[in-house]
Amino acid sequence: MQTADSGVALRQAAQQRTLSIAWASLLFFFALFVGLVTWAGLTVRNVYQEATLTGEATLIVRGPAESLSWRPAQRTIYQGAPDGLILAEGDSVRTTATAGYGQVATIKLFDGSQFDLWAGTDLTLETMQVSRWNQDHFRVVMRQNKGYIRYDLAEAQPYDHVQFQVHVGDALIELTPGGSYSVELRPPARSVLRVDDGLAQEVDVAVRSGSATVIGVDGEAVSLGSRERVTIDAAGSPGLVVPARWDLVRDGGFSQFTEVEYNNTTVADPTRPRSEYWHVYSGPDLPRENQGFFRLAQTCRPPIVNNFCAPNERRVAAWFYRSGGQTSSFTTGIKQELGTQGLGVDISEFPSLRLSLWVRVLYQSLPDTGDRGVECPVMVRLIAKRTTPADPEEQRDYCIFVDEDAVAPMVREPGVTYYPVPLAEWALISFDLREQDKLPDFRYLRSIQIFAQGHDYDSRVTEVSLVGEQ
């Protein structure tokens, strides 16, 4: 009897074990089925969300056709770029340095954003992607290798995540949609040798409207708001944020060199230390006792006329001096070739370009502006071109003189603008070159000259600036 009961128990245990295995197998395969269905669903969802379409852009030629070239993706040779060319992801566009002034070409994206290229630029469209089946993301990545480009980005984007990025050397710039930005790569003011033998360039990033983030080579992030700019040095590190203003005149306070170094620019000996910016000149060739001289004068911050002021209010003035009761005209002046390496500057991006300088005339022997209307104790001359490099150079002269009788000069030279000032007082001369009677539509500015011209004169100039704003 005991043996029979034991057999029944064993059969029941075996049945229970079989049932447990069956349930475990069923649950395992059900879980596996659910997992596969979930994986398939997530895969489809990810494909739906992340699948992208490659966008296109259109090239609009604005300058000479021969000034543009295009390199298709995965190619190494540049070729001619016709107007209306459709650009794809990975394509590059290059403009020659001699293409002219203002916009040479425009790249218009499929979303309405627009990139304007100036002469001497090189841009690669690395990424142009948009979500295929939804409005999740829109991403555009460029690599700017040189030159000046203005980025005007479309606003009211319908996508949840919009990303515009510009790689410049070792740094990255992130731009906000709906804003207007400018990025310029240029040689640094002083020579820099990179350890990786790469091209040393500094980058000027400016925000007209909108906002941008500049991320340096070490990950440091700098935020820019409307009408702000920052310079990224040749090592890829951003500097301090400053207002978006550009002073095109260097050493406008005459404090970066000594009097000897300024005057050494008149000597052909390259071993002598000399000013890098202002160059002294004079003429005609007369005996030394009949010549005028350029010197530096220590003075107080204008409009203070006495020489008693705190050290932090001290200034240096350019001093034009000629004496001895001279009876013939002589010119003593300084000139500066503007722009990188003195090649001039494209001013087409500056709707405002304000020239300012403080002037003090202590003595002039000729009344008003002399018999010819151009013998001025201070004259400012600008050399410019209107539209293209083929245009002739034009000059604009601004004569500053002492008007002691309050009567306008009898002789006025065409093309010269006259500014009377009181004797021995500091006077601020300031005007916008975009005024209608000055350089309203000129695109190129080559140089600025400041000189005294006449018989005897004693005049001083300081705090010279030529500030452009976008």
Side-chain angles (χ1 to χ4, degrees):
M1 187 69 180
Q2 185 176 0
T3 301
D5 292 341
S6 183
V8 172
L10 288 173
R11 285 194 300 272
Q12 289 177 343
Q15 291 173 352
Q16 185 64 39
R17 199 164 41 248
T18 301
L19 185 62
S20 297
I21 292 173
W23 275 109
S25 299
L26 182 63
L27 290 174
F28 170 76
F29 284 107
F30 179 74
L32 181 61
F33 171 75
V34 172
L36 289 173
V37 171
T38 302
W39 174 81
L42 291 175
T43 300
V44 172
R45 176 177 178 272
N46 288 338
V47 170
Y48 177 78
Q49 289 184 336
E50 297 178 6
T52 59
L53 291 172
T54 300
E56 294 180 338
T58 303
L59 179 66
I60 302 171
V61 178
R62 300 185 183 277
E66 63 274 12
S67 65
L68 274 82
S69 56
W70 157 65
R71 187 190 68 191
Q74 310 303 324
R75 302 286 182 86
T76 58
I77 299 176
Y78 281 84
Q79 57 194 53
D83 186 34
L85 175 69
I86 301 301
L87 300 173
E89 190 175 82
D91 288 2
S92 298
V93 176
R94 178 184 291 175
T95 63
T96 64
T98 57
Y101 317 126
Q103 297 99 319
V104 177
T106 295
I107 296 176
K108 200 168 187 65
L109 293 191
F110 53 93
D111 73 320
S113 296
Q114 179 172 305
F115 310 152
D116 290 317
L117 283 64
W118 265 244
T121 58
D122 188 336
L123 180 69
T124 300
L125 302 171
E126 292 190 342
T127 303
M128 294 187 294
Q129 295 180 350
V130 63
S131 295
R132 180 185 291 269
W133 290 305
N134 56 42
Q135 294 182 331
D136 183 69
H137 69 272
F138 172 63
R139 185 167 184 256
V140 177
V141 180
M142 291 79 66
R143 178 167 291 278
Q144 183 174 335
N145 298 307
K146 62 180 180 179
Y148 178 92
I149 300 178
R150 186 176 71 203
Y151 299 92
D152 293 315
L153 306 186
E155 57 183 351
Q157 296 280 2
Y159 305 95
D160 296 333
H161 304 93
V162 180
Q163 192 175 49
F164 283 94
Q165 294 181 328
V166 183
H167 290 275
V168 283
D170 298 322
L172 174 67
I173 307 169
E174 296 183 341
L175 308 177
T176 302
S180 179
Y181 314 89
S182 65
V183 178
E184 181 181 17
L185 280 75
R186 62 194 179 211
R190 299 191 180 278
S191 299
V192 176
L193 294 177
R194 292 172 56 107
V195 295
D196 59 358
D197 295 327
L199 180 62
Q201 296 188 98
E202 64 180 20
V203 186
D204 190 344
V205 184
V207 178
R208 286 184 189 76
S209 61
S211 62
T213 301
V214 176
I215 303 173
V217 63
D218 57 356
E220 178 187 1
V222 174
S223 297
L224 296 175
S226 179
R227 304 187 68 77
E228 291 183 334
R229 60 185 282 248
V230 70
T231 299
I232 307 171
D233 65 23
S237 299
L240 298 176
V241 177
V242 297
R245 305 166 70 243
W246 289 261
D247 192 346
L248 306 183
V249 171
R250 293 158 293 180
D251 189 23
F254 307 100
S255 59
Q256 297 187 27
F257 301 92
T258 66
E259 181 178 304
V260 171
E261 289 171 332
Y262 286 110
N263 281 294
N264 278 347
T265 58
T266 65
V267 182
D269 184 357
T271 63
R272 295 190 184 185
R274 61 186 58 217
S275 164
E276 297 179 13
Y277 309 123
W278 293 108
H279 294 259
V280 178
Y281 68 96
S282 61
D285 187 14
L286 296 176
R288 184 173 178 81
E289 61 269 18
N290 300 123
Q291 295 179 11
F293 300 94
F294 172 83
R295 302 193 63 184
L296 295 181
Q298 299 294 323
T299 185
C300 289
R301 174 184 56 80
I304 302 172
V305 294
N306 61 44
N307 211 25
F308 302 101
C309 55
N312 63 344
E313 293 190 322
R314 303 295 298 176
R315 299 291 186 271
V316 180
W319 181 10
F320 308 98
Y321 181 75
R322 191 187 189 206
S323 62
Q326 305 297 330
T327 57
S328 63
S329 187
F330 189 85
T331 300
T332 305
I334 53 176
K335 60 183 177 181
Q336 182 175 135
E337 304 295 328
L338 302 175
T340 304
Q341 300 175 343
L343 299 177
V345 289
D346 186 324
I347 58 174
S348 59
E349 277 285 78
F350 298 127
S352 173
L353 190 59
R354 179 162 291 275
L355 176 66
S356 300
L357 65 158
W358 283 94
V359 175
R360 187 183 185 192
V361 180
L362 294 173
Y363 179 70
Q364 64 178 65
S365 61
L366 292 174
D368 293 339
T369 59
D371 294 336
R372 296 182 296 152
V374 293
E375 294 177 301
C376 312
V378 176
M379 178 86 86
V380 180
R381 174 171 293 166
L382 301 174
I383 306 297
K385 290 186 179 182
R386 189 176 297 272
T387 306
T388 71
D391 291 342
E393 289 188 339
E394 300 183 39
Q395 72 181 44
R396 295 291 186 271
D397 291 338
Y398 307 97
C399 172
I400 298 130
F401 67 100
V402 173
D403 183 12
E404 294 188 296
D405 57 7
V407 177
M410 297 295 295
V411 180
R412 288 178 173 267
E413 181 73 10
V416 178
T417 305
Y418 295 90
Y419 293 90
V421 296
L423 180 67
E425 299 286 337
W426 282 110
L428 176 62
I429 306 299
S430 181
F431 50 83
D432 195 329
L433 291 177
R434 293 312 193 185
E435 293 174 6
Q436 195 59 40
D437 60 340
K438 295 180 173 63
L439 301 174
D441 55 355
F442 279 65
R443 292 186 172 186
Y444 171 80
L445 193 59
R446 181 172 69 83
S447 66
I448 179 172
Q449 302 174 32
I450 304 174
F451 56 93
Q453 187 168 261
H455 293 182
D456 289 357
Y457 42 75
D458 184 348
S459 54
R460 302 170 192 199
V461 173
T462 191
E463 296 186 3
V464 182
S465 64
L466 181 57
V467 176
E469 294 189 46
Q470 296 178 347

